[in-house]
Amino acid sequence: MAVTPETEFDELVASDKRVEPRDWMPDAYRKTMVRQIAQHAHSEIIGMQPEGEWIARAPSLRRKAILLAKVQDEAGHGLYLYSATETLGVDRADLTNRLITGAQKYSSIFNYPTLTFADVGVIGWLVDGAAICNQVPLCRSSYGPYARAMVRICKEESFHQRQGFELLLTMMRGSDAQRAMVQDATNRWWWPSLMMFGPPDDDSPNTAQSMKWRIKRHTNDELCQRFVDMTVPQADALGVTLPDPQLSWNESRGSYDFGAPDWDEFKRVVSGDGPCNAQRVAHRRAAHENGAWVRDAAATYAAKYSAAVA
Amino acid sequence: MSVQPDWPLWEVFVRGKRGLNHVHVGSLHAADAEMALHSARDLYTRRNEGVSIWVVPAAEITASSPDEKDAFFAPSGDKVYRHPTFYDIPDEIPHI
């Protein structure tokens, strides 16, 4: 068989080597990578909002410093990922535009509100916990710049999850009212966290191609099961109940059985009809538009300064 | 809504600690070199990952070829005699 760029690409990926930016790649691979990395970047950027709302209301200086560092990390993760997306030949300003016009999506989890400070802890524990399950295998993604960004991100996510769990432990050792807040936040975030793994395998048409291209290493069902198995003992240690009556240990599988999230709700939230979709995008758009004069001023200063030294 | 052109792209290199080379870590957009350095510090060294940063305008980098593997590197491919393992030395010869 003749050696074509396509067969070379397939062999490279099949032998677990990394694809680098200037390699030939199928258009569909490039398109899929742009969509996946941009969507991930947008999720990090929008993900600053639910927790950012609690920075000024954090109950102590310690919690405020931690939360500020965490939200700053989310910004950093978004920027690592935009940087990786740009290696595929897309423009950063265009990506921002696609986010604030709704042309590209972000993770549906960030369209839920953060009602109490316990939500900050539960987001760290469950949402970041689910994100870690999803992201650790992406450190071996076939696309080099994405895999390298994920290595940095995963190193930092561990702090996010641990600070959340520690926050919840502290609240669970507090008053009855605090324990009730943790249980309430757990009830509200459990199902949306499971939805982060995406639809079940038999309803996930792109999985096979993504596995072949090694941009996905495990199916949605495998990752979700791993998350549940990891999380149940943590819930026990905390003393909270996960809101799933079907949750039970299955001795023969060596795993927990659990119920299915409301996939109709998932589809509604993804398509724009969640509790906070409009608010999240409007906030990002306002930040972008209100920052226009700063970007212009810096560009003008740079142009004048380089003209003066020339 | 119009899309404003971005600030130029800068590639970022960080020296992890004294004694190591600067290593490429990623890129960012900034209006000028000073802003690029400050942003690189905030973005790539939030946890003591570096003691020194270089920022280079991405447009100023000249790269070897549009492909990461091609004939450009072929000349070194067939010169096995440049490697120490090419030479057979009896086992009893010490320190070589």
Side-chain angles (χ1 to χ4, degrees):
Chain A
M1 198 171 79
V3 176
T4 66
E6 184 132 31
T7 56
E8 278 189 28
F9 175 87
D10 289 343
E11 272 169 31
L12 186 91
V13 169
S15 61
D16 235 351
K17 292 194 176 119
R18 297 290 174 266
V19 180
E20 293 297 342
R22 299 177 306 159
D23 287 335
W24 184 92
M25 60 188 89
D27 284 344
Y29 177 89
R30 184 183 299 274
K31 225 174 122 189
T32 303
M33 284 322 299
V34 168
R35 198 191 59 224
Q36 182 178 337
I37 310 175
Q39 188 168 316
H40 193 165
H42 296 328
S43 301
E44 300 281 357
I45 295 300
I46 295 291
M48 296 165 74
Q49 292 183 41
E51 291 175 282
E53 288 171 9
W54 282 95
I55 292 173
R57 293 181 285 172
S60 69
L61 192 55
R62 180 176 183 270
R63 294 290 170 200
K64 184 179 292 199
I66 293 169
L67 190 51
L68 197 57
K70 189 188 173 211
V71 172
Q72 194 187 7
D73 273 353
E74 312 291 0
H77 297 177
L79 295 178
Y80 304 155
L81 291 165
Y82 282 133
S83 166
T85 321
E86 281 187 298
T87 64
L88 290 158
V90 293
D91 180 71
R92 178 104 45 131
D94 184 48
L95 291 173
T96 301
N97 196 49
R98 287 197 221 176
L99 170 61
I100 63 182
T101 56
Q104 280 178 337
K105 297 199 186 309
Y106 54 88
S107 174
S108 65
I109 191 80
F110 301 115
N111 291 315
Y112 292 87
T114 41
L115 302 182
T116 73
F117 196 69
D119 289 37
V120 171
V122 169
I123 287 177
W125 173 40
L126 295 181
V127 176
D128 293 319
I132 290 171
C133 274
N134 268 331
Q135 290 174 353
V136 167
L138 296 177
C139 296
R140 294 186 297 127
S141 162
S142 61
Y143 189 58
Y146 188 41
R148 293 192 284 275
M150 291 315 306
V151 169
R152 293 185 81 85
I153 289 172
C154 285
K155 276 187 196 160
E156 298 179 355
E157 286 290 348
S158 168
F159 141 62
H160 295 182
Q161 196 190 17
R162 290 172 67 108
Q163 67 81 33
F165 197 82
E166 188 227 41
L167 191 165
L168 297 177
L169 268 180
T170 308
M171 289 186 80
M172 291 304 285
R173 289 171 187 151
S175 65
D176 285 345
Q178 285 176 307
R179 279 186 284 277
M181 276 168 73
V182 174
Q183 184 61 58
D184 168 63
T186 304
N187 293 347
R188 284 182 288 106
W189 288 94
W190 173 250
W191 294 111
S193 298
L194 289 193
M195 292 175 195
M196 289 174 70
F197 295 96
D201 292 348
D202 49 23
D203 191 25
S204 176
N206 299 323
T207 292
Q209 180 63 71
S210 294
M211 301 271 278
K212 182 169 166 263
W213 276 335
R214 307 211 173 179
I215 54 186
K216 194 167 176 170
R217 296 284 184 159
H218 306 280
T219 70
N220 296 352
D221 290 349
E222 286 167 5
L223 292 168
C224 192
Q225 179 73 60
R226 186 178 298 176
F227 173 68
V228 172
D229 289 345
M230 234 172 60
T231 307
V232 174
Q234 295 169 350
D236 291 343
L238 269 181
V240 295
T241 309
L242 298 173
D244 179 357
Q246 288 173 259
L247 189 68
S248 65
W249 177 250
N250 183 324
E251 191 66 49
S252 63
R253 290 200 307 123
S255 273
Y256 287 91
D257 291 335
F258 56 98
D262 179 349
W263 292 113
D264 290 334
E265 175 185 321
F266 175 74
K267 282 173 191 152
R268 275 200 309 279
V269 177
V270 167
S271 63
D273 193 20
C276 301
N277 296 54
Q279 177 192 336
R280 299 288 184 241
V281 174
H283 186 89
R284 179 68 191 93
R285 173 191 283 269
H288 183 68
E289 289 172 357
N290 295 337
W293 71 270
V294 180
R295 294 192 296 277
D296 287 344
T300 306
Y301 174 82
K304 279 189 178 166
Y305 182 78
S306 66
V309 297
Chain B
M1 204 185 102
S2 71
V3 179
Q4 288 178 317
D6 262 322
W7 291 333
L9 187 67
W10 301 75
E11 298 295 337
V12 181
F13 301 78
V14 172
R15 184 198 294 288
K17 58 180 182 182
R18 289 174 178 280
L20 298 181
N21 290 316
H22 285 76
V23 173
H24 182 248
V25 292
S27 65
L28 53 79
H29 288 271
D32 58 31
E34 193 186 346
M35 183 191 275
L37 266 185
H38 281 110
S39 298
R41 178 200 58 192
D42 294 345
L43 184 54
Y44 291 106
T45 63
R46 287 195 302 284
R47 290 180 175 78
N48 300 319
E49 291 96 335
V51 295
S52 166
I53 299 175
W54 291 344
V55 289
V56 182
E60 296 294 319
I61 292 178
T62 306
S64 55
S65 73
D67 208 315
E68 299 288 338
K69 47 146 195 57
D70 73 347
F72 190 74
F73 297 102
S76 78
D78 58 356
K79 296 180 178 59
V80 287
Y81 48 84
R82 286 180 175 173
H83 298 276
T85 46
F86 179 72
Y87 302 94
D88 283 331
I89 307 286
D91 288 345
E92 59 272 24
I93 311 290
H95 307 304
I96 186 161

